[in-house]
Amino acid sequence: MTRLLSTIILAIAALWAVPVHAASQYEESLKQLAEGVIADAVKAGKGQLALVDFTDAKGAVTPIGKFLAEELGTQILVTGELKVVERAMVGSTLKKFHVTQFEPAQAKAVNQAAKAVNADVFATGSYLESPDGLRVTVKLLNPSTLHSLGATRGTIPKAGPLAELIKEAHKPPVVKVDLAAKPAPPPGL
């Protein structure tokens, strides 16, 4: 009986520790990514960061990309070494100036948007899903030249709220069928 009770307690303790360990790995990976961004920004003499929603491997902004940008921005703010412009304000300002991509053809509009939000550096990011987690790359761009000031990357484990977002992203789309609609007549009738 004592052996059974100790086995049960050990099993519960082990199961409880796994999510805590995964969460700590998630936080640590995010912290390392933030430290890399901060180091590059400080090295370039920049202090006001504007984060842009991250994109997937196809270049599309997704809920996961928005989440990663928000989490990274929060982690950078926690350190207190850089000021971070509100992500939603950055997005609306870029739309106002018709910035769709960070490319030389749009350098003037990007620079105007940076002045409007009082940012001296933009952080763009992308992610790629791998078996180990999400491979995240963040680049710092000078708003006036669009030259890269630095880059950092890391792997963030699929844990916590990120795991839920990934699970949601992999769900098949819901298809609604209107049973009251009549099928179209065959062609030629």
Side-chain angles (χ1 to χ4, degrees), residues 87-132:
R87 189 182 53 79
M89 186 169 75
V90 172
S92 65
T93 304
L94 289 172
K95 281 183 185 176
K96 176 182 173 184
F97 287 97
H98 307 291
V99 175
T100 55
Q101 291 183 330
F102 286 86
E103 60 185 11
Q106 294 189 338
K108 184 176 178 183
V110 170
N111 197 31
Q112 290 172 332
K115 287 179 182 176
V117 297
N118 195 28
D120 56 7
V121 65
F122 277 101
T124 63
S126 61
Y127 68 92
L128 179 66
E129 193 170 346
S130 71
D132 299 335

Side-chain angles (χ1 to χ4, degrees), residues 127-136 154-159 162 166:
Y127 68 92
L128 179 66
E129 193 170 346
S130 71
D132 299 335
L134 294 182
R135 185 78 170 150
V136 180
T155 301
I156 298 180
K158 301 174 190 176
L162 185 57
I166 293 170

Side-chain angles (χ1 to χ4, degrees), residues 183-189:
L189 289 182

Side-chain angles (χ1 to χ4, degrees), residues 51-54 64-74 87:
L51 269 163
V52 180
D53 291 334
F54 291 5
I64 294 171
K66 290 178 180 183
F67 177 78
L68 289 170
E70 188 69 29
E71 287 281 279
L72 181 62
T74 301
R87 189 182 53 79

Side-chain angles (χ1 to χ4, degrees), residues 67-89:
F67 177 78
L68 289 170
E70 188 69 29
E71 287 281 279
L72 181 62
T74 301
Q75 187 67 41
I76 291 169
L77 275 173
V78 167
T79 68
E81 293 185 50
L82 294 178
K83 293 180 181 175
V84 178
V85 180
E86 175 61 35
R87 189 182 53 79
M89 186 169 75

